[in-house]
Amino acid sequence: MTVCTYLIKSEKDGSFYTGIAFDPVKRLKVHNRGWSKATSRKKPFRLVYVRYHKDYSEARRHETWLKKKNRAYKN
């Protein structure tokens, strides 16, 4: 199974959230339904970036790197 790093953007305030998922579209639905405590107050979201990786550890490294980038880079 392939794993991906994803980036979603809040339609409410323009903030970003970075995460790891096996199915980014399904994960986006979880965020938009308010089932994720970390993002429930900033919904709705739209998926702005997905990158697939060969394994979870590679995805985790990329997620950590992406979380350090500023808003200008993510836009």
Side-chain angles (χ1 to χ4, degrees):
M1 218 177 212
T2 59
V3 63
C4 73
T5 304
Y6 67 92
L7 181 65
I8 56 176
K9 185 174 185 177
S10 170
E11 297 283 329
K12 185 175 183 179
D13 67 0
S15 62
F16 291 95
Y17 180 84
T18 306
I20 298 173
F22 291 102
D23 185 346
V25 175
K26 188 175 180 181
R27 187 69 179 135
L28 176 63
K29 289 178 185 176
V30 169
H31 287 292
N32 281 330
R33 288 179 179 146
W35 295 347
S36 173
K37 188 175 181 180
T39 59
S40 62
R41 288 187 229 128
K42 296 184 177 192
K43 63 185 183 190
F45 289 91
R46 64 183 165 89
L47 192 61
V48 294
Y49 175 79
V50 176
R51 180 174 176 186
Y52 289 91
H53 304 278
K54 63 181 179 179
D55 57 37
Y56 188 87
S57 63
E58 183 180 297
R60 184 75 173 137
R61 281 191 301 276
H62 187 251
E63 178 195 31
T64 302
W65 176 83
L66 189 56
K67 283 184 176 187
K68 293 177 185 177
K69 297 299 176 190
N70 61 26
R71 179 183 298 270
Y73 180 86
K74 292 175 183 178
N75 275 319

